[in-house]
Amino acid sequence: MKINRILLGLLMILFAAGTYAQGNYHKGVLHLKKGKAKEVYIEIDFEFPQRFQQGITYLEPKDFDKFMSTGKLKSKMKQKMEPKHFTGFSLEDGREWHTVFYTDLTGRAIKMIPKRMTLELVAGGPIKVYKMYSRTTGKINQELADVFFEDRANLVNYIQDNFQLLVLKDKKNPTNIVQINLLNYIGDNPRVKENYDNNHYGLRNQFSSGFKMGKYVNREFEAAFLRMIDDYNGDGAPDSEARSR
């Protein structure tokens, strides 16, 4: 009886792991060089943001269908590609990632080397905003998640609420928001600047109370910042989009 309970428990764990893995693959379009594109299922796993920011793992449609029907994901089904081979990807749910060069000047390294990253576009238009999550070190196992975050859901929530926002306007590469002079980005729109000064977007509160001069922001800061960028981009390009999730 005890062995049966153990076997049942193992089967439940394997089933849960398979269901979790299936939910990590999202239908989308991979945008290759020279205007080429193909439909694939891309892995978006917030336990390991590097898997969709520093390179992607994806399944061909035939392999995804096989995975969904059998619940088994073989290593040979997984395709990997580095950002130098594609310009970005877009998901069926509307989310979009672009491949950009980013130099992290917020650390203390002596030599700063631009790195090609594929980052989520959270605002598009004259001012573009990208979101970058921190790389997790190695494979975060269940024990580590339990010690520091009680469970994996808390770990994912922590990663999703501590990230960098990178801003791009009239330059080749984006810059971390903590390093910019905001007036250089919105100062040419008097209405938006006045709204910011009057705290119309709620952003000034974030700078005074929640904003730390490190490198990370949270979802509350992002929402306020994107309200302002949405307003700015709406004036400059009526068809631009900005969103906060």
Side-chain angles (χ1 to χ4, degrees), residues 102-141:
Y102 174 56
T103 303
D104 188 356
L105 300 175
T106 60
R108 297 181 179 178
I110 297 175
K111 188 176 182 180
M112 303 295 180
I113 302 175
K115 189 169 187 178
R116 188 183 272 112
M117 307 279 289
T118 303
L119 304 179
E120 184 179 4
L121 178 74
V122 292
I127 299 178
K128 292 182 173 61
V129 182
Y130 296 97
K131 183 186 291 192
M132 187 175 85
Y133 299 98
S134 296
R135 175 187 176 91
T136 52
T137 305
K139 182 174 176 59
I140 298 180
N141 55 36

Side-chain angles (χ1 to χ4, degrees), residues 145-165:
D146 284 343
V147 169
F148 291 101
F149 300 98
E150 295 184 1
D151 59 40
R152 292 193 174 208
N154 287 343
L155 171 63
V156 170
N157 286 336
Y158 178 84
I159 290 172
Q160 289 182 315
D161 199 37
N162 292 270
F163 51 85
Q164 296 186 48
L165 280 182

Side-chain angles (χ1 to χ4, degrees), residues 36-186:
K36 296 181 180 179
K38 66 176 182 177
E39 291 189 359
V40 294
Y41 288 82
I42 298 171
E43 183 184 30
I44 305 293
D45 184 351
F46 283 99
E47 285 188 41
F48 309 100
Q50 63 268 25
R51 293 183 183 175
F52 56 85
Q53 293 185 150
Q54 295 175 241
I56 61 169
T57 299
Y58 66 92
L59 302 178
E60 298 284 355
K62 60 181 179 61
D63 290 324
F64 179 79
D65 291 341
K66 186 181 297 184
F67 176 36
M68 292 298 289
S69 62
T70 65
K72 297 179 180 179
L73 182 59
K74 298 179 180 180
S75 58
K76 66 179 181 181
M77 293 179 178
K78 295 183 179 181
Q79 308 293 323
K80 297 183 184 297
M81 187 178 292
E82 297 178 1
K84 65 182 179 181
H85 298 300
F86 60 92
T87 61
F89 60 87
S90 52
L91 301 183
E92 193 175 47
D93 61 16
R95 287 180 291 171
E96 187 175 338
W97 276 256
H98 292 176
T99 298
V100 300
F101 275 99
Y102 174 56
T103 303
D104 188 356
L105 300 175
T106 60
R108 297 181 179 178
I110 297 175
K111 188 176 182 180
M112 303 295 180
I113 302 175
K115 189 169 187 178
R116 188 183 272 112
M117 307 279 289
T118 303
L119 304 179
E120 184 179 4
L121 178 74
V122 292
I127 299 178
K128 292 182 173 61
V129 182
Y130 296 97
K131 183 186 291 192
M132 187 175 85
Y133 299 98
S134 296
R135 175 187 176 91
T136 52
T137 305
K139 182 174 176 59
I140 298 180
N141 55 36
Q142 186 66 52
E143 289 76 19
L144 185 62
D146 284 343
V147 169
F148 291 101
F149 300 98
E150 295 184 1
D151 59 40
R152 292 193 174 208
N154 287 343
L155 171 63
V156 170
N157 286 336
Y158 178 84
I159 290 172
Q160 289 182 315
D161 199 37
N162 292 270
F163 51 85
Q164 296 186 48
L165 280 182
L166 313 182
V167 189
L168 179 63
K169 179 188 179 186
D170 301 329
K171 293 171 64 177
K172 188 175 181 181
N173 302 321
T175 305
N176 190 305
I177 189 175
V178 304
Q179 296 176 304
I180 69 170
N181 180 337
L182 195 56
L183 287 180
N184 291 339
Y185 289 78
I186 66 163

